[in-house]
Amino acid sequence: LKERVRSKIKELKNKTAQPSPGGFALVIDGPCLRAAMQPDAKIDFLEVGLRCKAVVCCRVTPSQKAQVTLLVKDNLPGQITLAIGDGANDVSMIQAAHIGIGIRGKEGQQAVLASDYALPRFSYLERLLLIHGRWSYNRIGTMVCYFFYKNVAFAFTLFWFSTENAFSAQALFDDGYQSLYNVIFTSMPVMVFAILDRDLEPEIVQRHPELYSVGQFNIRFTPVRFAIFVLGSIVHSVVLYYVTVYSMDLNVTGEGGRQTGLWGAGTTVLSNVIIVVTCTMGIHTRSWSWIHWVVYLGSVGIWYFFLLCYHALPPGFMDDTDDNIHWVIYEIGSTVLFWLNSLLVTGMCCLPILAYKYFKEQYYPNIDDYYRRVVADPKSYPQEDESVKDAETLRIHINTPPSDVEGSTSVETVAKLRRNESVNTMATRTRSDYTAAPIHPTRGASARLINASAPGRHNSGSKSNPISPLASTTESPEDRPRPTSSGAARPKVAETQEDVVRPFQEGH
């Protein structure tokens, strides 16, 4: 059996090397899969499988499910595997994959307990991936970059101050400021963003699954985007320190004709830092609600309320005899210069970000930028207008089975929308899918690979199990990655993210 399976895999490898109008699919059973997973055959098996549109492994053991998952996971670096099951026999596969999903059903809770996510129905997987998974990726990608941004901006203001005091131990900010900067003053906006932000409504995302390509190409967390945030924070720190200090230090702010002084300048600098990083978070926020306004404005308000209370404490109240910051906010806050300085510095830091984002989204938009413009002004995009209208109707019945919808008209509408959605998904799908090097199991030594366009029906009485192609493809085998000599296949994306984005940058 092992020799027959090896020869059949080589035969299938030659057949799948030529593109087919209908594509290929592969069906393999447990005994043949055991032979195909031998060290001298599994890489060829993986390559054949990746050339197919679908691979079905039937009558396999729980350990074989995990082996197939690990075969892809170990030999295709950079690819993310997902396993979903509802029974105890799926636990090994769920634990072997990067992401495990358990379905809560009649077969017990073993799969749910071993999984990362639990679903009551298999049909909810679409919403979990295309909607919540995409939202979560966008939020986390921006949140991580923002965390570094706000902390680098804070730290570099101290660095610029150190260059002017010979790197002594003199502090620019009071200890109370530094202790609460990440804990209270800037913690809530990023938390709200990471929980509530959404760039597009769920019905639009579900209507256009090509939006999922943003996560597939890792657009939200690339080295370039991370470097832009870090460099931007350094530039902002220069503005926050030098513009604030020199504008405050060269002007008289005290009632006695004195200048601001060290602690007044430090309080003003940190006030501007908190305002700027909060405004930057607001610029990157895509959806606004009353919660965003309360938290964003409240974070700045809490800072000034803290200053009023903290600076009013008499020296020695907290076993601290220094009067460094006593009554400072009341002195500098009573001057127009303090507030004008904050307005100037905030504008100098945030207006370039707004200009950059406007220019990029208008002239070099990503696919999500394009659909936000379609939703905001559908009349300017007549070719997408009907799609948006259908998505608005779909909002009413989203996640509702047609049988649960009241009225025959609604049932027909939902059925029509779902049919159109399937057609639209196939029509708009690009070659952005990963087509890494593959392996395909075969059902029996005499397994046959047939063209999707070829007529015929599987004969259950036959010992051979034909492989029925499930989708069409015109991809060339040269576009697919090959396993390396060490046994690890280097995946190759059929199209780059620019190829997915380009249609939305040209002609719209």
Side-chain angles (χ1 to χ4, degrees), residues 191-358:
M191 292 176 60
V192 171
F193 174 88
I195 296 173
L196 301 179
D197 188 67
R198 53 176 68 178
D199 57 344
L200 288 166
E201 291 302 314
E203 61 275 1
I204 301 295
V205 178
Q206 192 170 17
R207 185 70 177 171
H208 299 280
E210 63 269 20
L211 287 164
Y212 191 73
S213 63
V214 173
Q216 289 178 311
F217 294 112
N218 198 22
I219 295 175
R220 290 286 177 261
F221 193 64
T222 61
V224 174
R225 191 167 190 252
F226 181 79
I228 290 175
F229 269 84
V230 173
L231 292 177
S233 64
I234 296 175
V235 173
H236 282 186
S237 67
V238 172
V239 177
L240 287 165
Y241 177 75
Y242 286 104
V243 175
T244 300
V245 170
Y246 282 100
S247 64
M248 296 293 290
D249 188 56
L250 300 178
N251 291 273
V252 176
T253 57
E255 295 181 354
R258 295 176 299 175
Q259 295 175 335
T260 303
L262 173 64
W263 300 110
T267 301
T268 307
V269 169
L270 190 56
S271 298
N272 293 342
V273 170
I274 293 175
I275 295 174
V276 168
V277 299
T278 303
C279 290
T280 302
M281 186 80 271
I283 292 173
H284 287 87
T285 301
R286 297 296 187 182
S287 60
W288 285 82
S289 65
W290 64 269
I291 299 178
H292 292 84
W293 289 104
V294 170
V295 171
Y296 290 9
L297 296 178
S299 296
V300 179
I302 289 175
W303 161 249
Y304 285 110
F305 179 76
F306 167 80
L307 291 180
L308 293 175
C309 298
Y310 190 49
H311 290 193
L313 297 177
F317 183 82
M318 294 186 295
D319 297 330
D320 185 5
T321 57
D322 295 333
D323 61 348
N324 297 330
I325 59 172
H326 179 62
W327 217 251
V328 170
I329 187 61
Y330 294 94
E331 294 182 358
I332 62 176
S334 61
T335 63
V336 178
L337 178 62
F338 173 77
W339 304 105
L340 289 179
N341 180 276
S342 297
L343 183 63
L344 173 65
V345 172
T346 302
M348 291 179 64
C349 292
C350 296
L351 289 179
I353 301 178
L354 286 172
Y356 167 77
K357 291 181 69 65
Y358 176 82

Side-chain angles (χ1 to χ4, degrees), residues 84 103 119-126:
I84 182 170
I103 300 177
L119 298 177
R121 296 182 184 178
F122 182 84
S123 60
Y124 292 165
L125 179 63
E126 176 188 14

Side-chain angles (χ1 to χ4, degrees), residues 99-158:
I99 301 172
I101 299 177
I103 300 177
R104 187 182 299 107
K106 298 180 180 180
E107 297 192 27
Q109 299 292 321
Q110 290 90 339
V112 172
L113 295 176
S115 64
D116 301 304
Y117 299 92
L119 298 177
R121 296 182 184 178
F122 182 84
S123 60
Y124 292 165
L125 179 63
E126 176 188 14
R127 186 174 176 86
L128 177 66
L129 292 178
L130 297 184
I131 299 177
H132 294 287
R134 181 181 173 278
W135 282 346
S136 179
Y137 168 75
N138 288 342
R139 296 164 182 165
I140 292 175
T142 302
M143 181 190 69
V144 172
C145 294
Y146 174 79
F147 258 111
F148 280 89
Y149 160 80
K150 73 184 184 71
N151 285 286
V152 170
F154 173 81
F156 263 78
T157 54
L158 299 175

Side-chain angles (χ1 to χ4, degrees), residues 420-432:
N420 292 340
E421 182 178 2
S422 300
V423 174
N424 181 71
T425 301
M426 294 300 297
T428 58
R429 184 173 297 162
T430 65
R431 290 174 54 202
S432 60

